[in-house]
Amino acid sequence: MPAETDPIRTAMTDGEAAVEARRIITEFATNYRDPSPVPSHGTTPPVPQPDSRRVPAWATGIAVASLGIGAGATGIGCAAWLVLKGLSMATMTSVLLVAAPFAGVAVAAIAVGALIARVKNAVVPEQHDHHYNGPVDQRHVHTENRGVWARTDNRG
């Protein structure tokens, strides 16, 4: 490979470096200079400026997702702020007014449950024929717990 086209070559003269630098700058220029003359008076007409930027689809997707996540986090934060603001302004009267319907429903449910339990446990005399007719042994047991490890002493 000749020395002029060898990309690995590291030593250049100042003239060669200037020519190579000018070539790189003209190939990869990022700005646009309009060569048309500027009018001496009046407004300057718009000049079309070509746009060659391309955004990859994955970058667009990440940008849209991050906007959605940010908006969602903002909505959750606002909701939490509103709830906490409302809780901070609670008084005993407002708590009782909010809790009263729930307490009423709970009391009614307990009453209905107790009524159902009593109806189920009610003994009808015609259906109950298991009577025990024998002597009843009545013992008086004296229980005493003593010590750190509670020894139980049952004496009859």
Side-chain angles (χ1 to χ4, degrees):
M1 183 175 258
E4 293 83 30
T5 59
D6 185 10
I8 301 176
R9 191 174 115 184
T10 56
M12 288 188 193
T13 63
D14 289 340
E16 289 174 336
V19 169
E20 182 66 16
R22 182 147 326 272
R23 182 188 68 81
I24 291 173
I25 289 171
T26 56
E27 280 184 13
F28 299 105
T30 57
N31 60 357
Y32 175 76
R33 183 176 294 269
D34 185 14
S36 62
V38 178
S40 58
H41 64 281
T43 59
T44 305
V47 176
Q49 299 185 6
D51 187 13
S52 61
R53 293 176 293 174
R54 299 286 181 248
V55 178
W58 61 267
T60 305
I62 289 175
V64 170
S66 64
L67 288 172
I69 290 170
T74 302
I76 291 170
C78 288
W81 180 82
L82 286 172
V83 167
L84 294 175
K85 182 79 170 173
L87 288 174
S88 70
M89 296 183 344
T91 62
M92 183 56 92
T93 306
S94 65
V95 170
L96 290 176
L97 287 175
V98 169
F102 298 109
V105 170
V107 167
I110 291 171
V112 168
L115 181 65
I116 291 172
R118 284 189 181 182
V119 168
K120 281 186 178 180
N121 291 335
V123 177
V124 180
E126 294 85 31
Q127 295 177 349
H128 184 69
D129 54 10
H130 302 302
H131 292 285
Y132 178 72
N133 295 323
V136 177
D137 184 18
Q138 294 182 350
R139 294 185 188 176
H140 297 285
V141 178
H142 177 70
T143 302
E144 189 175 325
N145 292 329
R146 284 186 274 166
V148 177
W149 285 278
R151 290 182 312 229
T152 303
D153 185 13
N154 292 327
R155 293 182 220 162

